[in-house]
Structures are given as structure tokens and as C-alpha cells.
Amino acid sequence: GRNVLLFRNNDMRMRGDVQLDVSGPLEHLMIRGSTGLTGGYYTRTIDFIGMIGSSAAPVSEGVGFLFSFRDPPLKDAGFDIKITTIEPFRIRNNLIRGSLRPELSLRGTGELPYLIGAVYIDPSRVILPSGRLQVQSGLLRFLEGEPDRPQLDLVAQSRLLGYDINLVTHGPLDDPVITLSSNPALPNEDLLLLLLTGQPPRKDVAGGAQSRGATNVMVYLGRDFLNKWLEDESGATDESILDRFELDFGRDVTKSGEQTIESTFRLSEYTTGTGRILYLAGEKDKYDTYNYGLRVVFRFE
């Protein structure tokens, strides 16, 4: 079937072009074929403030089962289904704006299925109280020996208060190793606090700058509240008004010691591929000057 609804609940939807072939005796069926994902999204809200404020270490038990059939004949059926991407799977919630491109194989049995292959992470952004963390590239690998413990490789960058920050993540998804570095260099504690909350390093704190981290968190919570309030819970639209709005504090420091401000509002509908996108743009630059205007972005293949 074409554009078949594969899964749907309040937080996620998946569709795909499905071609399956079922063969063999009823007690040992073999299901082969392919599924090309034609689109989908994941929108569940993530309590980021609660995550960083909790003193308890997260507990993970791997990725768990995709599904499981307990009764024959599907319980003992074997799978060999290739999963490819026609249209990327989108993640859009209060924390992440991005897309994924699975290139996987579904193996195992109906009782214990598993995935082998890779999920490619397209350039995406993570929305933090400090600003935006731009994911340059990423890869989630499901290995033959440990399909329930995928391996994550990810590279991301950000610029905050004049510091260029690099983040490299690798290792198991449930226990990754995260390496942070910056230019100019900062102690790890200051760098982590700057990235998560926008709090300036201790050596740069002067006057009222100590309150910046708290202010950024309050703005973050306010944006999260407005996004929940304005979003269309019926699923009739894929984006809210706030999805078109971007606000960045503190990519640099102005001459007076304040944070720079950059904001845009997208006027055009978002489409994939080539085309022209219009934005209303405004900023407070590093010279303490306010600028505004119309920005036109052309995209080429």
C-alpha cells in the first residue's frame, strides 16, 4: 500500500509505502519486504528544566521492544523487512527541531523483533535556555551484536556571549560520553553552566550579569508555556505561530556589557527543497544598535 498509516498516537505519527510478502507454513511464517517512510513526526514535550534540576541519575534499560506478538502464528513469524526513507521523520517539540532518516532492517521474530542499521540525524537544533545548540550531523547505529543498545555519534555547535562552543557525543545512547570545548577556553563547570542556562563565566560576571542565567530560564519557560497554549492539539496543522518565531539572546556581548539579541519571524510557509523564504528580522547588535528589516533566504539544491 502507498502512504499507509503505520502508527499514530497523541505524540507521534508515521506513514509509509509498504510492500510485504508472507510465505511459509502457518506455524513458521516468514515476512519479507520493504517500507519507505513517507513522513511522520514526534511532538512529545520534554521537561528539560526538570531533567537538569533532578539529582537522581537517569535509569535506562535500552531501547526496549518495538512491539511484541504473544500469540501464534505471529509470535513465531520471522521478519526481514527493509526500512528506508522517502521523506524524513520530523521531531518538533519544546526542545528539538530536527529530522531523522532511518536506513534500517527489521529482523527477529514476532515475539522478539529488533532493528539493524542506522538512523541519520540531519542538521537540527536543540532549544536551550541559553540559546540554540546547532546539531551539525549525527548517526544512531543499531549493531548486530547489541541491537537493544544503539550507539550515538553527534557533533553540535553554539555561540554564546562570544564563546564558540563545540559538543561531541559518542557511545551508547543510554550512557553516552559528552565532550565540551570552547574558544576562548573555559573550565568545564563554567562551560556547562553557560551552555545550559546562559550564565556568564565567573571571570566575566559584572554588575547585574549574575541574573542572566535566571532570566534566560524564565524566558525559556515562558516560551514553552506559550507554545503549549497556542499549539493546535487537533493535529490539523504541523506548526504553531511560535514555530515561526526565533529569539536568540547572548550570542555575543555588546560594548556596554549587555547580551546581543537576534529575532526572526518566518512569513513564508516552510517547504522542503529549493525556494525562497521571507523573514522579518530584528536585532540588538554588539554596538548596542537596534536594527530591523526584511530578510530573504534562497535555497538551492
Side-chain angles (χ1 to χ4, degrees), residues 120-236:
Y120 296 89
I121 303 172
D122 289 335
S124 307
R125 66 183 187 272
V126 180
I127 305 167
L128 301 173
S130 60
R132 285 185 292 175
L133 182 66
Q134 297 290 150
V135 176
Q136 306 300 312
S137 62
L139 182 66
L140 187 64
R141 294 174 293 134
F142 293 81
L143 305 179
E144 188 83 40
E146 288 185 304
D148 61 338
R149 202 173 191 217
Q151 303 291 308
L152 175 65
D153 295 286
L154 184 142
V155 177
Q157 297 176 338
S158 185
R159 181 173 176 83
L160 299 168
L161 300 179
Y163 291 88
D164 292 314
I165 300 173
N166 295 300
L167 180 148
V168 177
T169 301
H170 66 90
L173 181 62
D174 59 351
D175 189 22
V177 176
I178 300 175
T179 303
L180 289 173
S181 61
S182 68
N183 184 23
L186 282 175
N188 287 338
E189 182 179 341
D190 284 353
L191 181 54
L192 182 61
L193 194 60
L194 173 63
L195 180 62
L196 293 181
T197 69
Q199 175 68 46
R202 287 188 292 267
K203 67 183 182 66
D204 293 344
V205 171
Q210 289 181 332
S211 64
R212 286 177 182 167
T215 301
N216 289 341
V217 172
M218 292 176 64
V219 171
Y220 182 83
L221 292 174
R223 188 188 190 282
D224 189 24
F225 171 78
L226 286 175
N227 197 47
K228 292 178 183 177
W229 184 46
L230 294 173
E231 71 179 353
D232 182 1
E233 296 182 354
S234 68

Side-chain angles (χ1 to χ4, degrees), residues 9 12 38 71-72 100 146 161 165 179 181 280 285 291:
N9 62 19
M12 186 169 75
T38 56
D71 300 314
L100 308 175
E146 288 185 304
L161 300 179
I165 300 173
T179 303
S181 61
L280 288 177
D285 63 23
N291 308 299

Side-chain angles (χ1 to χ4, degrees), residues 2-285:
R2 299 185 63 84
N3 204 30
V4 176
L5 180 62
L6 303 175
F7 182 85
R8 182 172 186 173
N9 62 19
N10 291 335
D11 303 312
M12 186 169 75
R13 186 183 70 186
M14 295 179 64
R15 288 185 175 274
D17 293 344
V18 180
Q19 290 185 332
L20 297 178
D21 176 74
V22 181
S23 60
L26 188 62
E27 60 272 16
H28 293 292
L29 294 175
M30 189 65 195
I31 303 175
R32 298 182 175 89
S34 64
T35 298
L37 297 182
T38 56
Y41 58 78
Y42 180 80
T43 59
R44 175 175 292 180
T45 298
I46 299 174
D47 183 12
F48 175 74
I49 300 299
M51 288 168 55
I52 64 175
S54 173
S55 59
V59 177
S60 176
E61 298 179 355
V63 297
F65 293 119
L66 303 168
F67 55 85
S68 182
F69 296 108
R70 300 300 182 185
D71 300 314
L74 292 179
K75 173 184 176 182
D76 301 313
F79 291 112
D80 185 8
I81 301 174
K82 186 177 182 180
I83 302 171
T84 59
T85 301
I86 298 174
E87 289 289 336
F89 180 86
R90 290 175 295 153
I91 301 176
R92 26 178 318 279
N93 54 30
N94 63 313
L95 185 62
I96 301 171
R97 292 288 190 276
S99 58
L100 308 175
R101 292 179 291 112
E103 297 293 336
L104 300 164
S105 292
L106 178 63
R107 306 279 182 83
T109 65
E111 184 178 21
L112 188 59
Y114 61 89
L115 294 171
I116 297 296
V119 176
Y120 296 89
I121 303 172
D122 289 335
S124 307
R125 66 183 187 272
V126 180
I127 305 167
L128 301 173
S130 60
R132 285 185 292 175
L133 182 66
Q134 297 290 150
V135 176
Q136 306 300 312
S137 62
L139 182 66
L140 187 64
R141 294 174 293 134
F142 293 81
L143 305 179
E144 188 83 40
E146 288 185 304
D148 61 338
R149 202 173 191 217
Q151 303 291 308
L152 175 65
D153 295 286
L154 184 142
V155 177
Q157 297 176 338
S158 185
R159 181 173 176 83
L160 299 168
L161 300 179
Y163 291 88
D164 292 314
I165 300 173
N166 295 300
L167 180 148
V168 177
T169 301
H170 66 90
L173 181 62
D174 59 351
D175 189 22
V177 176
I178 300 175
T179 303
L180 289 173
S181 61
S182 68
N183 184 23
L186 282 175
N188 287 338
E189 182 179 341
D190 284 353
L191 181 54
L192 182 61
L193 194 60
L194 173 63
L195 180 62
L196 293 181
T197 69
Q199 175 68 46
R202 287 188 292 267
K203 67 183 182 66
D204 293 344
V205 171
Q210 289 181 332
S211 64
R212 286 177 182 167
T215 301
N216 289 341
V217 172
M218 292 176 64
V219 171
Y220 182 83
L221 292 174
R223 188 188 190 282
D224 189 24
F225 171 78
L226 286 175
N227 197 47
K228 292 178 183 177
W229 184 46
L230 294 173
E231 71 179 353
D232 182 1
E233 296 182 354
S234 68
T237 179
D238 282 343
E239 65 176 2
S240 69
I241 293 176
L242 286 183
D243 286 330
R244 294 170 173 254
F245 182 70
E246 297 289 347
L247 181 63
D248 283 331
F249 287 93
R251 286 176 58 84
D252 284 294
V253 180
T254 70
K255 285 190 171 183
S256 65
E258 299 295 325
Q259 298 181 83
T260 58
I261 303 173
E262 301 171 30
S263 65
T264 60
F265 183 81
R266 177 164 47 83
L267 299 174
S268 307
E269 293 291 335
Y270 179 82
T271 57
T272 58
T274 61
R276 182 184 67 180
I277 304 177
L278 299 178
Y279 296 87
L280 288 177
E283 67 171 2
K284 178 183 179 182
D285 63 23

